[in-house]
Amino acid sequence: MAKKLIDMINISKSYGDNLVLDELNLYIKENEFLTLLGPSGCGKTTLLRILGGFETANEGKIIFEGNDITNLAPNKRQLNTVFQKYALFSHMSIAENIAFGLKIKGKSKAYINDKIKYALKLVNLDGYENRTPDSLSGGQQQRIAIARAIVNEPKVLLLDEPLGALDLKLRQDMQYELIRLKNELGITFVYVTHDQEEALTMSDTIVVMNQGYIQQIGTPEDIYNEPENAFVADFIGDSNILPATMVEDKLVKILGVNFPCVDTGFGRNKPVDAVIRPEDIDLVKVDEGIMQGVVTHLIFKGVHYEMEVTANNYKWLVHSTDMFPVGTEVGIKVDPFDIQIMKKPESEDEEAVIVEE
Ligand SMILES: Nc1ncnc2c1ncn2[C@@H]1O[C@H](COP(=O)(O)OP(=O)(O)OP(=O)(O)O)[C@@H](O)[C@H]1O
Ligand SMILES: [Mg+2]
């Protein structure tokens, strides 16, 4: 397993009486693509700025390769940041923009020129040295901002929603380019986004945040398939999240009907949340289903049909390549493996971070 590079320990941050980060613990491994994912205002930028040294935490410390860097200035950290609102110097050429940090460090002209060429090649903009920022598209400007960070050879690149301003096609191209850069340069990436699809595509590790708390840390597969609570399940893709009762091991009562599942260890007759992905619901003949319902809404989504099936007073979201017209009576079946059981939050703190529908 890759070695631990950064350890953020018990980080808390308030602005006035607004507690933005609450005793947050997180470690980052060498050469990892780690993404901070969460809704607007949850504290992603604040955490990234604390890591970059642009903001001081009220409590906690940051260890970088065994050294305490909590109070180190940004330029003394082996990190480089591409900010949420990228800013190139408009009165300077592209070459001068990229050279900026290296000039401050007193590097030689030959070294700097080499680096500019190399960085422009990496971001697929060879030959753009003498252009000005305002003659470039948004995506090209963003790539220059990344090139400017890369020439400093940081161990870690901090990127705050670097693709937020780009349109979909360009975003996707840039996502591939960033993954390629990470693999080619062996840099550790800490990436901020509120776009769950982007996080699932790009990351080795996803940290799901809400209201200053970490909700779950895991691989994209972990987070998607095994969300630990209703917030994560709701935030990562569409889901049916239902209040349920764990009757006994491997049996859960959802909307008054017993469904076989595979989970154990929740106790008997305990309140839980059951999560079922829309693609995991099988629509079958009425008498073959565990529950019966009627199709109340239908949209064609290109790859699949999205249907709403009303059953036991709940509107189930169903994705299927089979089409059932509105009004069809159907049976609902779910493979036991596709039912994810989550414990109900116990403390008030935990309760506070669950988004109510
Ligand atoms: N300098 C500041 N002074 C006061 N409050 C701040 C300051 N910076 C951030 N905040 C508050 O801290 C909270 C977290 O902000 P932050 O910018 O970290 O969120 P974010 O997760 O990056 O959101 P977004 O996705 O919108 O960029 C917000 O409530 C914000 O208003
Ligand atoms: Mg932000």
Side-chain angles (χ1 to χ4, degrees):
M1 209 175 82
K3 124 175 165 234
K4 215 191 238 191
L5 187 66
I6 299 171
D7 217 347
M8 300 187 82
I9 304 164
N10 269 323
I11 304 287
S12 292
K13 175 73 185 173
S14 315
Y15 293 107
D17 49 17
N18 182 13
L19 182 62
V20 174
L21 297 173
D22 191 5
E23 294 183 14
L24 203 134
N25 286 285
L26 176 65
Y27 66 84
I28 300 161
K29 289 179 287 190
E30 196 151 63
N31 201 8
E32 171 172 51
F33 198 117
L34 179 133
T35 299
L36 305 175
L37 172 69
S40 185
C42 73
K44 306 179 296 292
T45 296
T46 304
L47 186 63
L48 203 73
R49 288 175 57 82
I50 289 171
L51 181 55
F54 301 99
E55 191 69 76
T56 331
N58 300 106
E59 275 168 65
K61 48 181 184 177
I62 307 171
I63 309 294
F64 191 107
E65 291 188 315
N67 301 313
D68 190 331
I69 60 159
T70 315
N71 298 310
L72 214 57
N75 59 347
K76 296 283 190 316
R77 302 183 180 200
Q78 300 176 53
L79 315 156
N80 251 268
T81 310
V82 177
F83 292 102
Q84 189 160 9
K85 292 188 188 73
Y86 55 90
L88 299 177
F89 304 115
S90 57
H91 58 286
M92 291 183 189
S93 70
I94 295 307
E96 286 165 336
N97 263 284
I98 297 174
F100 189 75
L102 298 174
K103 274 193 184 145
I104 290 176
K105 285 189 186 150
K107 299 287 183 189
S108 75
K109 221 176 178 138
Y111 178 92
I112 292 176
N113 284 337
D114 269 4
K115 281 285 169 197
I116 292 172
K117 276 216 153 56
Y118 166 76
L120 284 174
K121 214 181 181 78
L122 270 179
V123 297
N124 281 332
L125 289 173
D126 323 33
Y128 277 65
E129 282 88 340
N130 297 320
R131 298 273 291 266
T132 53
D134 58 14
S135 75
L136 302 188
S137 73
Q140 289 169 335
Q141 288 185 36
Q142 188 59 320
R143 279 187 275 170
I144 298 299
I146 291 164
R148 187 171 62 173
I150 284 170
V151 290
N152 295 302
E153 299 183 346
K155 275 223 160 121
V156 184
L157 202 54
L158 309 180
L159 298 158
D160 193 355
E161 310 229 10
L163 312 182
L166 310 181
D167 64 34
L168 183 65
K169 177 72 178 68
L170 203 52
R171 271 175 94 103
Q172 287 169 343
D173 291 348
M174 281 298 291
Q175 288 174 3
Y176 286 114
E177 244 170 273
L178 286 175
I179 293 168
R180 180 178 61 80
L181 283 176
K182 183 221 151 199
N183 293 336
E184 275 179 30
L185 301 174
I187 303 179
T188 303
F189 276 64
V190 182
Y191 191 90
V192 167
T193 183
H194 61 253
D195 178 339
Q196 44 110 351
E197 241 179 72
E198 188 165 285
L200 290 170
T201 320
M202 301 182 74
S203 319
D204 298 315
T205 304
I206 298 177
V207 179
V208 183
M209 292 176 64
N210 188 33
Q211 297 185 8
Y213 292 90
I214 291 179
Q215 298 287 314
Q216 187 170 356
I217 302 177
T219 63
E221 290 81 4
D222 289 341
I223 301 276
Y224 189 85
N225 294 326
E226 314 268 330
E228 271 171 22
N229 59 42
F231 174 81
V232 177
D234 192 35
F235 193 69
I236 306 287
D238 298 327
S239 253
N240 297 284
I241 304 173
L242 301 123
T245 305
M246 203 65 190
V247 178
E248 55 186 40
D249 280 354
K250 303 190 180 184
L251 193 66
V252 61
K253 185 181 270 186
I254 302 171
L255 305 171
V257 177
N258 285 339
F259 283 74
C261 63
V262 295
D263 295 78
T264 57
F266 285 86
R268 297 176 73 93
N269 295 316
K270 287 281 187 261
V272 292
D273 283 318
V275 175
I276 306 173
R277 296 275 174 207
E279 63 271 24
D280 292 332
I281 294 172
D282 294 323
L283 296 184
V284 294
K285 293 202 188 97
V286 176
D287 53 355
E288 291 171 2
I290 301 178
M291 195 181 274
Q292 283 68 43
V294 61
V295 178
T296 41
H297 201 71
L298 168 74
I299 321 171
F300 179 54
K301 287 277 203 170
V303 182
H304 61 258
Y305 294 93
E306 181 174 293
M307 285 164 280
E308 177 190 271
V309 175
T310 303
N312 293 29
N313 282 325
Y314 179 81
K315 295 179 180 357
W316 296 76
L317 182 67
V318 181
H319 291 171
S320 171
T321 47
D322 299 326
M323 195 266 278
F324 297 84
V326 171
T328 313
E329 287 183 29
V330 291
I332 286 179
K333 243 172 94 174
V334 186
D335 187 297
F337 281 98
D338 292 329
I339 300 177
Q340 169 77 16
I341 305 294
M342 302 177 305
K343 74 174 172 59
K344 286 267 194 205
E346 274 158 18
S347 73
E348 274 184 21
D349 267 2
E350 275 186 273
E351 192 86 61
V353 299
I354 304 296
V355 174
E356 299 288 32
E357 286 288 300

